Amino acid sequence: MAQKPKDPTRHSTYLPLDKKKSSKAFHSTPMLDQLESGPWPSFVTGLKRLALDNNMMVDLLGQLEHSYKTRLGYWKGGTVSVFGYGGGIIPRFTELMGKDGKPMFPEAKEFHTLRVQPAPGNHYTTDMLRKLSNSWNKYGSGLIAFHGQTGNIMFIGTTSEKTQHFFDEINEYGWDLGGAGPCVRTGMSCVGAARCEQSCANEQKIHRLLVNDFLDDMHRPALPYKFKFKVSGCPNDCMNSIQRADMAVIGTWRDDMKVDQKEVKAFVKGKGRKYVIDNVISRCPTKALSLNDDDTLAVDNRNCVRCMHCINVMTKALSPGDDKGVTVLIGGKRTLKIGDTFGTVVIPFKKLETDEDYDSLKQLAHDIIDFWAENGLEHERCGEMIERIGLVNFLEGVGLEVDPNMINHPRISSYVRMDEWDQEAEKWNQRKAAG
Amino acid sequence: MADMRPPIESGVPDPFQYMHPLMIKNFGNWAYHDRPRPGVLHHVAKSGDEIWTVRAGTQRQLGPYEINLLCDIIDKVGEGYVRFTIRSNMEIMVSKKEKVEPLIQALNDAGYPVGGTGNSVTMISHTQGWLHCDIPGTDASGVVKAMMDDLHEEFVKEDMPNRVHITTSCCQINCGGQGDIAINVQHTKPPKINHDLVANVCERPSVVARCPVAAIRPAMVNGKPSLEVDEKKCICCGACFPPCPPMQINDPDHSKLAIWVGGKNSNARSKPMFHKLVAAGVPNNPPRWPEANAIVKTILRAYKQDAKDWERVGDWVERIGWPRFFELTQLPFTKFHIDNWRGSRNSLNASAHIRF
């Protein structure tokens, strides 16, 4: 520790070994013990504190130390669920057996996790945090991760039997399981309109609308693989949706960015022209900004790509426009199996004002998931299917029109059959004429 | 079955029931924000209302002691409302400026660092590792604890050119996600197959289909149906291991760490970017992973010294070029840095643009 705590009983390092109530003696954990020093709060001290009351955590520490020593993991999956659902639980059984074929750390031989969906924006009252913690302490290890990488509250460590009791208790006061397995997964959305001036969408509404419309596909896994919704209120994409979501919904605007010239002048005065030119004007990716001689800002809005950089720097002077909506991208995912894929724009701009607007977003999600459920291979993410069949086949499958906003540049290979060119050109002309 | 209770399929809860009243009142009507000091955000609504947010780093895995300790602080010094960021930082909202300093003090007194805002190295996003995952090549919480101990100063200050998002992943699926710096397991040997178990444990056609390079085929081994791997083709990715645990990919010595840089989720300035390989063969060395830690700190030092304001790690390397990156960090450049996966020719230099 950098400093001695003022009140050692109210500190992340507190570990009253004299108050140990669990009946099982601690295992020797020389490697884990090395993670108790240093300024960052230690999860090992946390695990030990739980082990003061709980034999399961005593043995969990034993197994974890064994992993540290041998550099191998010792959990295997299985099938555990709650009545009425097929997913949402990550079952873990120890694989670490002694010479007698029995678990080396029997109290932690079952150590299942429940994935529970948080509210959009991960808001809690302290009352609710304590209530969830009390319930979990009653039926599980007491250990909760806020939050897993998909966005769930992870209630880590309980037995098959207590899984049901815990779920029954928290389900009664408003919490539902998330996704695990080949299903619609728990969604994520940023703090957004609740506290951020850059928000261009009602993130929590989109999040709840989409996910809550697919609860059957979440709780009863039957899709080719996982499907994730993520909602970011602006192109800063704090939810990492382009790289991590099968369907990314990102707030944006299509009218002019708002400029408060008085605040621009104040900013230039405070920071200096060089700072503004080096960090705002010349960092615009499409050269859409220019500093006028009177220290006001000129914006070429037709060439602004809504990257957010200048708005991030000059938070008081600049802000998104009023004609807000969303951009939708499909098919982002991490490495397995074909390598990382970004999401691809399939809807450049969509207004989300009326109930019909929101319904059509929901319908789009249904069309996409239905098409993928029909055409995706086992264990194939939506983005991988698009890679395999080509974007055009996907768009035709879900009933979307082509748009030049979907590409970085047109095709560079002539190896394609184009005998329907005239019909396709005519479609474009008709769409343009229809406005 | 009599006592079986059907679930209430309530789905995603309504966030307004847990939201700070000022956030409800000014929902969708915020005007601007600034950062009065590292770890504190100050948002001003169009109504003139102001809200201060204090951001604290946590160990992510919280038990009842930590939850009650933190909730006691939030109730006593804060206003009873809290949220979590995507990187497991706690954000405590208060309606009065005077509450900010006492809140920081109370959090620090309890051993919780305040920071992670703006141009800091914020909390590392991470996975479960040996604590709970069924396929991990390393631990997650331990790597993060060791690294955040070393980077603590950079968490509580805002001294970097731009924000730094670090991620860790315990297998090559990369659940930790894209990062300015990513520390990910990289296996270096093909799986060791326990042929006695394959027939009973694995659905063989699915396992064959999982392989990204078609290196797995069904085979009879010792008279039992099993699988075999063409080791010349195998890229040691571990994709066969989750559907078929007898194909043991994890190895105490041969499962190494690789370090990647330049991933960016945001659309600010440049389009989103994937991280790129810079170092591999790094020992998976618990409990404090000093070798991986040293490389991360070397990269951060070079970035901090050489990058311009607002350049993320990826933006910085794009400006200075990869030869300069390897020069500044003194990391070896090898044939493994040259991509040969699909689309790889797009990553080659097809120009006379060379820096001297």
Side-chain angles (χ1 to χ4, degrees):
Chain A
M1 272 310 296
Q3 282 170 310
K4 253 191 115 167
K6 264 191 198 165
D7 179 355
T9 69
R10 307 280 300 157
H11 194 270
S12 67
T13 53
Y14 180 57
L15 189 64
L17 292 169
D18 55 323
K19 291 186 185 154
K20 185 172 181 304
K21 280 182 267 173
S22 48
S23 56
K24 198 160 184 173
F26 277 14
H27 303 281
S28 161
T29 54
M31 292 189 93
L32 291 174
D33 296 350
Q34 293 178 55
L35 289 169
E36 290 196 271
S37 55
W40 197 260
S42 170
F43 74 103
V44 173
T45 307
L47 297 180
K48 287 187 178 178
R49 252 189 320 255
L50 290 167
L52 294 174
D53 298 320
N54 183 333
N55 284 340
M56 179 189 256
M57 295 307 284
V58 173
D59 272 4
L60 188 272
L61 278 157
Q63 172 157 334
L64 189 57
E65 175 75 12
H66 196 80
S67 280
Y68 270 64
K69 265 194 289 204
T70 58
R71 303 182 188 182
L72 287 171
Y74 296 99
W75 299 110
K76 64 177 176 190
T79 313
V80 175
S81 195
V82 295
F83 180 68
Y85 285 175
I89 315 249
I90 312 293
R92 290 293 176 251
F93 299 91
T94 185
E95 280 189 301
L96 202 49
M97 300 298 167
K99 287 193 186 105
D100 56 0
K102 290 185 181 151
M104 279 170 68
F105 299 101
E107 299 285 341
K109 68 178 180 200
E110 290 182 64
F111 200 67
H112 314 317
T113 283
L114 287 95
R115 287 183 173 171
V116 172
Q117 299 184 69
N122 298 334
H123 300 273
Y124 300 90
T125 56
T126 48
D127 288 348
M128 183 47 78
L129 274 186
R130 291 183 211 262
K131 198 168 170 182
L132 287 168
S133 174
N134 287 341
S135 293
W136 185 236
N137 210 26
K138 192 159 43 161
Y139 297 113
S141 71
L143 190 66
I144 312 177
F146 292 98
H147 299 80
Q149 287 297 321
T150 300
N152 294 284
I153 320 171
M154 311 278 274
F155 293 88
I156 308 172
T158 193
T159 60
S160 304
E161 185 208 338
K162 288 181 180 167
T163 300
Q164 181 74 50
H165 298 313
F166 173 71
F167 172 69
D168 287 343
E169 181 161 315
I170 65 164
N171 189 224
E172 284 295 328
Y173 60 82
W175 300 87
D176 197 4
L177 289 189
C183 62
V184 169
R185 296 291 186 90
T186 297
M188 280 176 108
S189 50
C190 60
V191 64
R195 200 199 55 198
C196 182
E197 74 274 11
Q198 297 175 346
S199 162
C200 297
N202 188 339
E203 302 82 3
Q204 62 86 31
K205 182 169 177 178
I206 301 168
H207 176 168
R208 295 187 74 212
L209 179 98
L210 290 173
V211 174
N212 286 348
D213 208 44
F214 286 94
L215 291 178
D216 189 36
D217 282 313
M218 171 178 283
H219 294 138
R220 293 159 199 96
L223 293 172
Y225 197 16
K226 61 182 94 169
F227 193 96
K228 299 185 179 186
F229 293 107
K230 293 190 196 293
V231 187
S232 284
C234 81
N236 279 320
D237 195 9
C238 292
M239 293 296 101
N240 309 344
S241 66
I242 294 178
Q243 287 160 338
R244 304 195 75 155
D246 299 275
M247 181 162 170
V249 182
I250 300 179
T252 188
W253 70 98
R254 62 181 172 184
D255 56 343
D256 290 356
M257 175 174 99
K258 287 202 252 189
V259 183
D260 182 335
Q261 298 289 9
K262 214 175 87 207
E263 289 294 343
V264 173
K265 282 187 177 183
F267 188 86
V268 178
K269 200 171 170 206
K271 289 281 193 179
R273 285 200 188 113
K274 181 176 167 54
Y275 181 92
V276 176
I277 291 165
D278 287 352
N279 291 292
V280 183
I281 309 296
S282 62
R283 289 221 177 279
C284 173
T286 51
K287 315 270 181 287
L289 299 178
S290 170
L291 190 67
N292 295 323
D293 287 341
D294 64 354
D295 290 341
T296 57
L297 190 71
V299 184
D300 172 8
N301 275 289
R302 275 178 66 78
N303 281 308
C304 166
V305 288
R306 280 68 177 157
C307 88
M308 297 301 291
H309 173 76
C310 60
I311 298 177
N312 291 341
V313 181
M314 299 170 70
T315 57
K316 221 170 168 176
L318 308 178
S319 47
D322 290 321
D323 190 6
K324 290 169 177 170
V326 295
T327 298
V328 179
L329 297 92
I330 300 294
K333 53 168 278 295
R334 305 298 314 120
T335 312
L336 187 72
K337 154 185 172 176
I338 66 163
D340 309 87
T341 62
F342 291 111
T344 301
V345 171
V346 299
I347 306 270
F349 185 84
K350 178 173 178 50
K351 281 301 273 184
L352 281 181
E353 275 176 356
T354 62
D355 288 348
E356 291 76 47
D357 294 339
Y358 281 99
D359 281 346
S360 67
L361 184 70
K362 217 159 60 174
Q363 189 55 49
L364 175 71
H366 277 280
D367 292 344
I368 288 168
I369 289 180
D370 287 350
F371 180 79
W372 168 65
E374 282 282 300
N375 294 282
L377 304 174
E378 192 229 331
H379 217 255
E380 186 178 55
R381 291 283 286 271
C382 191
E384 290 173 319
M385 179 193 68
I386 294 173
E387 174 107 0
R388 178 167 56 80
I389 67 175
L391 181 68
V392 169
N393 281 324
F394 172 76
L395 295 172
E396 287 176 355
V398 300
L400 290 169
E401 304 285 359
V402 296
D403 188 292
N405 284 303
M406 295 171 181
I407 58 170
N408 280 331
H409 58 71
R411 158 189 308 278
I412 48 176
S413 165
S414 70
Y415 286 1
V416 59
R417 183 171 166 173
M418 293 193 268
D419 45 0
E420 288 173 19
W421 176 272
D422 289 342
Q423 293 94 303
E424 292 301 316
E426 187 49 31
K427 273 192 208 166
W428 171 261
N429 290 334
Q430 279 176 9
R431 271 171 61 204
K432 238 174 60 177
Chain B
M1 289 296 284
D3 57 347
M4 283 306 204
R5 171 192 166 278
I8 304 165
E9 297 205 43
S10 48
V12 192
D14 180 351
F16 290 101
Q17 59 189 319
Y18 308 123
M19 225 182 253
H20 191 285
L22 280 181
M23 294 164 99
I24 300 173
K25 185 184 162 203
N26 297 289
F27 190 87
N29 283 302
W30 294 93
Y32 70 93
H33 80 280
D34 52 30
R35 299 194 310 278
R37 55 153 282 173
V40 179
L41 307 172
H42 167 232
H43 286 87
V44 180
K46 289 175 186 162
S47 67
D49 287 345
E50 297 173 82
I51 195 165
W52 281 265
T53 302
V54 175
R55 190 180 284 179
T58 72
Q59 58 271 65
R60 187 175 86 143
Q61 264 85 239
L62 304 177
Y65 174 83
E66 294 90 333
I67 289 173
N68 283 317
L69 176 68
L70 290 161
C71 285
D72 286 349
I73 293 171
I74 299 165
D75 285 341
K76 207 173 135 202
V77 197
E79 295 168 353
Y81 295 91
V82 60
R83 66 174 296 270
F84 290 86
T85 70
I86 189 172
R87 308 184 80 81
S88 303
N89 293 313
M90 221 177 199
E91 292 193 335
I92 303 160
M93 279 70 62
V94 291
S95 60
K96 291 197 173 60
K97 192 181 176 186
E98 302 76 65
K99 294 187 179 179
V100 171
E101 282 304 322
L103 192 49
I104 295 169
Q105 193 59 47
L107 287 162
N108 287 341
D109 285 349
Y112 288 87
V114 169
T117 51
N119 302 346
S120 65
V121 178
T122 185
M123 171 61 167
I124 299 172
S125 77
H126 67 98
T127 50
Q128 296 278 29
W130 289 327
L131 178 72
H132 200 264
C133 184
D134 59 337
I135 55 169
T138 187
D139 197 28
S141 313
V143 183
V144 170
K145 160 68 178 156
M147 216 162 270
M148 289 311 290
D149 276 343
D150 278 14
L151 298 175
H152 177 260
E153 283 295 295
E154 299 296 353
F155 179 85
V156 300
K157 292 180 183 161
E158 293 183 353
D159 280 353
M160 286 287 162
N162 200 341
R163 67 200 62 218
V164 179
H165 289 172
I166 302 179
T167 71
T168 69
S169 295
C170 314
C171 75
Q172 288 181 227
I173 295 173
N174 189 210
C175 302
Q178 288 289 324
D180 290 286
I181 304 176
I183 304 109
N184 298 346
V185 158
Q186 182 81 24
H187 303 295
T188 61
K189 296 284 184 221
K192 286 194 221 102
I193 308 175
N194 184 340
H195 293 290
D196 292 336
L197 297 180
V198 171
N200 285 335
V201 178
C202 316
E203 195 187 327
R204 293 188 304 154
S206 306
V207 185
V208 169
R210 293 285 177 95
C211 180
V213 293
I216 303 174
R217 56 195 170 218
M220 293 294 284
V221 182
N222 304 326
K224 288 180 185 166
S226 187
L227 294 164
E228 65 182 12
V229 172
D230 180 344
E231 299 203 349
K232 282 199 200 106
K233 273 168 122 181
C234 177
I235 49 169
C236 314
C237 69
C240 53
F241 180 52
C244 188
M247 302 190 74
Q248 181 59 250
I249 189 72
N250 289 317
D251 183 283
D253 297 314
H254 299 305
S255 294
K256 305 279 193 187
L257 299 175
I259 297 178
W260 308 69
V261 310
K264 178 169 93 62
N265 299 110
S266 163
N267 290 268
R269 301 167 303 283
S270 46
K271 290 183 177 180
M273 294 188 268
F274 286 140
H275 52 226
K276 288 99 183 165
L277 177 74
V278 294
V282 184
N284 176 22
N285 197 3
R288 282 197 167 267
W289 292 268
E291 299 85 356
N293 232 325
I295 295 173
V296 169
K297 281 191 282 186
T298 301
I299 295 166
L300 283 173
R301 209 176 302 128
Y303 166 66
K304 193 173 177 177
Q305 277 171 10
D306 197 60
K308 296 183 174 174
D309 285 353
W310 293 98
E311 279 179 341
R312 292 283 290 266
V313 174
D315 297 326
W316 164 59
V317 184
E318 288 221 325
R319 177 174 60 81
I320 65 167
W322 286 100
R324 191 81 73 234
F325 173 87
F326 285 99
E327 182 191 310
L328 290 174
T329 55
Q330 298 199 332
L331 293 167
F333 182 79
T334 70
K335 66 178 182 181
F336 300 110
H337 291 99
I338 299 176
D339 200 352
N340 59 357
W341 194 246
R342 61 178 74 193
S344 63
R345 289 209 74 193
N346 292 325
S347 70
L348 307 183
N349 184 5
S351 76
H353 289 201
I354 309 282
R355 289 172 177 83
F356 295 101

